[in-house]
Amino acid sequence: MTIECPTPRHEEEVVLLGHGAGGRLTEELLDTLVLPAVGETEGPLEDAALLPGRPDLVMSTDSFVVSPLFFPGGDIGSLAVHGTINDLAMRGARPLALSVSLIIEEGLPLSELRAVMASLGKAAQDAGVPVITGDTKVVGRGAADRLFINTTGVGQRHAPMCPSAANARPGDVVLLSGPIGLHGTTVLSTREGLGFEGDIASDSRPLHRLVHALAPLGAAVHVLRDPTRGGLAASLNEIARDSSVAVEIEESAVPVPQAVASACDLLGLDPLVVANEGCMVAFVEPEAAEEALTAMRSVPEGAQSVRIGEVLHEGPLGRATLRTLVGARRIVEMPLGEQLPRIC
Amino acid sequence: MKYLDEYRDPALARRLLEELRRTAGRPWRIMEVCGGQTHTLVRQGIDELLPAGMRMIHGPGCPVCVTPLETLDRAMAIAARPGVIFTSFGDMLRVPGSETDLLSLRARGADVRVVYAPMDAVRLAAANPDREVVFLAVGFETTAPANATAVLHAARLGLTNFSMLVSHVLVPPAMTALLEDPDCEVQAFLAAGHVCAVMGWTEYEPIAARYRVPIVVTGFEPLDLLEGVLMAVRQLEGGRFEVENQYVRAVRRSGNTDAQEAVRKVFQVTDRSWRGIGALPDSGLELADAYAGFDAARRFDVGGLRPVEDPECIAGAILTGARLPTDCPAYGTRCTPRHPLGAPMVSSEGTCAAFHAAGRTASARSTP
């Protein structure tokens, strides 16, 4: 039994859950409908954008609709802070300030809202990022599911670091800061009562200190990505596509916690496409790889950093491949869409 | 759950492959019946590391793929009814019917829900006495016991708002049908470990003897499959045609007799049409007369269904192993997971989906 991303066959007139899932359907929606309406910008779609005229500043916005509101390892409040901080960090920036907008469904117990806001406030304080503006809306019962949060952040780049999904180069080493699949499987297990909640917790956490540790390497850090919706598979495909390179990873090198592997086996999911909220992929120049690994391991959120692959000098451009456990090579497909709806 | 690592050890996998190369003296043709095994073979590239000329034939063991189009159309007609909560395992939601799929129905307002066990649907029915809760019960012998138990539980609770649309299929009749085909190339079978965990393997013994084919009950991890193939090849090289059990940690010869008893009580054997293959006698399960009240097909009169298959899809040839997905002109172009023409491109166990997920094309095979 598995859960798969929605895909329409004959009907194209309505939005499906899969359109918000971070895979191919989301790409289609952006390319054909959203971006043409707002005026397309140059370059790849990144986690955060450099401000026009102020390339030292970075901006990002993200909405959080996770269900349930509370899960092992986090909640929608702390996730809303971590998610936007991490989007800024992936462009090599330290967070300067956040805005927080709440859309609350009538009937939400104040105790739950209080707990979410306390967690949100603590996460911002722990990260050293002030919340400087915001908005509150309440909608009628049924018009939203309990609570949605939008956070927008502004960050200051660690110059000369300027990582971008389009900067991967042949020879680059691919590093991963920790185990994959924890967030998606935790949220799903909690929501559906699958019983894995006791063994796993979301990896939701801020990654700006991990990026700060890499700052001394400057321009040797080519790409940073936190593989959220669509998981590692989506991130690697996006980087391969935007940089027009061939990325290859070693299956046996990718850390998958036992409980994640078990949950994925039960559900027919691939850990490579399950969302994360607290790990990072870094593409760095080969000469700087060891130094980068040491720097990443020097902070708690990167203690389990490993080398998982490289950018090939020859290979299928724009594609990510994987060396399997038995030594064969296969393409890592861009997921059609995340199989787990509303995980962030 | 430490066992996973032990069955995914790269060094052991390489040793098994070397042993297989030393053992295989001829280009044998072995069919893995189960779609879950197909996915492991293709995702790991095991099928392309086999000794030269040796080939795995991907079998019809994907329950999503073989569910008849008429059943799917009936499911959608029922799901579209007001007051119905239609429940199913996730895979079934994307399978194209004649006109639409369950997910598109859901986007248009139908109450279609993914469940992880049939008992979830029973609980939904108990919690929603004013709604009709319908569960789409598909699958091989593996899922039949849980579905039977759900019906027994619903009967004990006295639920009158719970029903099942049943389309269970049985493995041995399908294997027999394949072997009866004069064009059949299969020289040995890997039998599905989870089916045999329920049923045991006594049903397979007469098949192995009558058709002179080795049958190896096999698990689903990479090392399980490599060992299963090696055991089949050893039999073929030695001229033996027996049922052997590779999956000793999960399967006994007699299977799970309690589970079999539940299935016998709730279901009865019936002829079944397999999507892409056609009608096979005594190859399915339907609700027994005593539990006919839980039969959604009887409870909901949806009128005359006229299922229409996409003419371009070669699912039948794929499901019988006669053709590979990459032989299909629509594969990867007009037929993708985004726009599937047929079930094998939808299901997580479908051969076409497995090939597509591993990036296989007619010209780009995985390379060792």
Side-chain angles (χ1 to χ4, degrees):
Chain A
M1 72 192 83
T2 67
I3 310 132
E4 297 250 2
C5 168
T7 173
R9 184 168 178 227
H10 298 293
E11 308 178 52
E12 302 294 340
E13 309 92 333
V14 294
V15 174
L16 299 171
L17 275 174
H19 282 117
R24 284 189 191 160
L25 289 172
T26 304
E27 272 180 18
E28 274 180 33
L29 191 71
L30 291 175
D31 291 344
T32 61
L33 195 150
V34 176
L35 296 175
V38 297
E40 296 185 48
T41 52
E42 283 182 20
L45 294 175
E46 306 267 14
D47 286 332
L50 309 189
L51 278 184
R54 289 294 304 274
D56 57 318
L57 293 179
V58 174
M59 183 174 167
S60 181
T61 188
D62 206 340
S63 296
F64 297 85
V65 297
V66 63
S67 172
L69 300 180
F70 302 89
F71 44 84
D75 57 75
I76 192 169
S78 55
L79 187 66
V81 172
H82 298 159
T84 291
I85 286 177
N86 293 348
D87 283 346
L88 295 171
M90 295 309 113
R91 296 306 306 277
R94 66 181 178 86
L96 292 176
L98 288 177
S99 74
V100 175
S101 283
L102 308 175
I103 296 172
I104 311 164
E105 184 191 18
E106 177 187 31
L108 179 73
L110 281 174
S111 58
E112 288 192 26
L113 183 60
R114 195 173 291 117
V116 168
M117 290 312 297
S119 173
L120 187 152
K122 184 176 185 303
Q125 196 171 15
D126 290 350
V129 189
V131 175
I132 58 167
T133 184
D135 181 48
T136 305
K137 295 283 190 298
V138 178
V139 298
R141 198 179 269 272
D145 184 9
R146 299 161 67 80
L147 175 65
F148 298 153
I149 301 179
N150 171 277
T151 50
T152 300
V154 176
Q156 174 94 42
R157 269 199 319 111
H158 300 286
M161 205 186 206
C162 193
S164 161
N167 280 358
R169 299 287 174 268
D172 278 359
V173 171
V174 183
L175 307 175
L176 179 69
S177 70
I180 61 166
L182 286 163
H183 179 74
T185 44
T186 299
V187 172
L188 181 74
S189 186
T190 306
R191 184 169 56 223
E192 306 295 349
L194 299 180
F196 290 97
E197 309 88 274
D199 302 321
I200 45 178
S202 167
D203 58 348
S204 174
R205 58 188 161 182
L207 297 170
H208 59 302
R209 294 185 187 93
L210 183 64
V211 172
H212 185 256
L214 284 174
L217 280 76
V221 178
H222 291 169
V223 187
L224 297 175
R225 220 38 188 294
D226 64 331
T228 53
R229 284 180 312 175
L232 191 59
S235 290
L236 295 175
N237 270 284
E238 286 161 1
I239 294 162
R241 179 198 62 205
D242 293 340
S243 300
S244 194
V245 294
V247 179
E248 182 155 294
I249 59 169
E250 193 73 40
E251 184 175 21
S252 58
V254 178
V256 180
Q258 281 286 359
V260 170
S262 303
C264 285
D265 275 0
L266 180 78
L267 298 165
L269 297 176
D270 181 350
L272 288 176
V273 305
V274 176
N276 312 277
E277 289 290 348
C279 72
M280 179 180 83
V281 182
F283 285 55
V284 298
E285 288 177 1
E287 300 76 18
E290 280 310 309
E291 191 184 345
L293 211 46
T294 304
M296 287 166 71
R297 287 172 179 167
S298 71
V299 293
E301 47 272 50
Q304 299 178 71
S305 297
V306 287
R307 175 182 176 143
I308 60 165
E310 61 186 326
V311 179
L312 301 175
H313 289 280
E314 283 185 10
L317 297 184
R319 301 305 297 261
T321 53
L322 173 137
R323 295 287 285 192
T324 70
L325 296 175
V326 298
R329 180 181 284 157
R330 73 167 167 89
I331 297 280
V332 178
E333 274 291 313
M334 180 74 173
L336 189 59
E338 174 61 59
Q339 308 102 313
L340 316 176
R342 296 186 49 199
I343 43 153
C344 61
Chain B
M1 307 233 353
K2 184 174 171 298
Y3 73 89
L4 286 177
D5 279 350
E6 296 165 16
Y7 290 90
R8 295 177 181 180
D9 182 303
L12 273 174
R14 281 191 291 275
R15 279 210 290 278
L16 280 167
L17 274 165
E18 284 159 18
E19 178 68 16
L20 190 58
R21 290 192 187 106
R22 278 196 298 272
T23 307
R26 289 172 54 188
W28 301 108
R29 302 274 183 269
I30 301 173
M31 173 177 276
E32 86 283 358
V33 174
C34 171
Q37 292 174 335
T38 302
H39 259 256
T40 302
L41 286 170
V42 174
R43 288 187 67 76
Q44 288 292 328
I46 291 170
D47 55 334
E48 299 196 330
L49 296 177
L50 296 176
M54 196 173 144
R55 192 157 76 82
M56 297 304 297
I57 299 175
H58 311 303
C62 160
V64 176
C65 302
V66 300
T67 299
L69 189 57
E70 184 177 355
T71 301
L72 290 165
D73 287 352
R74 188 178 300 279
M76 287 172 223
I78 293 170
R81 293 272 181 101
V84 167
I85 299 174
F86 195 89
T87 61
S88 162
F89 294 147
D91 252 9
M92 297 304 296
L93 269 64
R94 291 180 52 234
V95 182
S98 297
E99 292 294 330
T100 183
D101 57 48
L102 286 165
L103 276 168
S104 298
L105 280 178
R106 185 173 77 179
R108 293 174 174 280
D111 194 346
V112 177
R113 305 188 193 184
V114 172
V115 293
Y116 298 95
M119 209 63 93
D120 294 347
V122 175
R123 277 191 285 271
L124 264 178
N128 294 274
D130 55 333
R131 307 278 301 275
E132 282 283 344
V133 176
V134 182
F135 176 70
L136 180 54
V138 300
F140 288 87
E141 294 93 328
T142 328
T143 52
N147 292 342
T149 305
V151 170
L152 291 170
H153 190 60
R156 270 196 301 274
L157 294 175
L159 294 178
T160 56
N161 65 326
F162 173 78
S163 59
M164 271 187 185
L165 188 58
V166 179
S167 186
H168 276 299
V169 279
L170 304 171
V171 172
M175 286 169 71
T176 305
L178 286 166
L179 291 163
E180 286 288 344
D181 183 342
D183 296 329
C184 177
E185 290 188 354
V186 180
Q187 294 164 302
F189 283 100
L190 303 187
H194 50 19
V195 170
C196 296
V198 173
M199 301 305 294
W201 66 77
T202 53
E203 296 173 289
Y204 296 85
E205 287 165 346
I207 297 175
R210 180 179 169 190
Y211 295 97
R212 297 174 64 78
V213 284
I215 299 174
V216 181
V217 178
T218 305
F220 302 88
E221 294 297 323
L223 297 193
D224 286 327
L225 285 155
L226 283 167
E227 194 173 26
V229 171
L230 181 58
M231 287 166 76
V233 167
R234 281 179 177 151
Q235 281 204 55
L236 288 164
E237 293 287 342
R240 292 183 295 119
F241 310 104
E242 301 161 12
V243 181
E244 285 183 309
N245 181 23
Q246 178 278 331
Y247 205 30
V248 287
R249 65 188 186 278
V251 178
R252 293 193 307 260
R253 182 172 178 267
S254 57
N256 180 337
T257 49
D258 289 348
Q260 291 165 26
E261 185 53 38
V263 171
R264 265 194 298 272
K265 190 170 180 179
V266 173
F267 295 114
Q268 60 193 23
V269 173
T270 181
D271 297 346
R272 173 79 70 223
S273 174
W274 294 47
R275 190 173 190 179
I277 296 176
L280 299 178
D282 295 335
S283 68
L285 295 174
E286 64 181 3
L287 283 162
D289 292 342
Y291 296 94
F294 290 103
D295 189 347
R298 297 188 196 201
R299 187 174 298 197
F300 296 92
D301 179 12
V302 296
L305 298 169
R306 282 184 295 279
V308 182
E309 284 284 10
D310 188 288
E312 201 171 11
C313 179
I314 60 165
I318 300 289
L319 290 167
T320 53
R323 309 271 296 276
L324 284 173
T326 43
D327 298 333
C328 173
Y331 169 81
T333 52
R334 291 176 300 284
C335 182
T336 65
R338 172 76 175 85
H339 289 284
L341 295 182
M345 187 56 97
V346 174
S347 164
S348 67
E349 294 194 6
T351 303
C352 299
F355 270 55
H356 201 273
R360 297 232 181 140
T361 63
S363 58
R365 292 160 57 87
S366 307
T367 50

